[in-house]
């Protein structure tokens, strides 16, 4: 398998595209390979400047937001069912 090579912005030495850290100086690499054409694109870029393909940014929903949404949905479901005993238990856990 052939790897495209890039130059580290920290030490200037050549390194394979796709590594998260430079093997020579340890600086964080802010480039990744385009998912479509393989050319280097910034990690946070939405589109490749060479082929125009849309690249995933890897954005993730914070865990706390997910937990809160699930908790609110559970409370809403319990309120709708009007099971007072379970509602009290959930309130004690959350509050």
């Amino acid at each position: 398998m052939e790897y495209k090579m890039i130059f580290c912005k920290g030490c200037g030495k050549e390194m394979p595209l796709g590594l998260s850290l430079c093997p020579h100086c340890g600086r964080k690499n802010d480039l990744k390979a385009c998912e479509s054409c393989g050319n280097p694109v910034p990690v946070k870029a939405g589109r490749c400047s060479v082929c125009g393909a849309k690249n995933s940014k890897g954005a993730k929903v914070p865990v706390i937001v997910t937990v809160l949404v699930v908790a609110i949905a559970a409370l809403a479901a319990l309120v709708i069912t009007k099971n007072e005993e379970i509602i009290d238990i959930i309130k004690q856990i959350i509050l």
Side-chain angles (χ1 to χ4, degrees):
M1 175 182 248
E2 186 177 323
Y3 293 99
K4 289 194 181 238
M5 300 300 280
I6 58 171
F7 292 95
C8 173
K9 291 182 181 179
C11 66
K13 293 185 179 177
E14 199 172 35
M15 62 183 258
L17 178 62
L19 294 181
S20 59
L21 299 173
C22 174
H24 307 287
C25 70
R27 183 181 190 273
K28 185 175 180 183
N29 178 21
D30 60 352
L31 295 174
K32 67 176 184 174
C34 170
E35 296 166 3
S36 182
C37 69
N39 283 302
V41 293
V43 171
K44 295 183 179 181
R47 294 199 176 268
C48 175
S49 60
V50 176
C51 71
K54 191 173 183 179
N55 286 286
S56 61
K57 295 181 188 178
K60 298 177 179 116
V61 177
V63 173
I64 189 78
V65 173
T66 305
V67 170
L68 286 174
V69 169
V70 170
I72 291 169
L75 278 173
L78 291 171
V79 168
I80 291 170
T81 61
K82 297 181 182 176
N83 188 335
E84 296 298 325
E85 185 179 323
I86 295 176
I87 292 172
D88 290 337
I89 293 170
I90 297 278
K91 284 180 182 177
Q92 289 174 2
I93 293 171
I94 293 176
L95 303 174

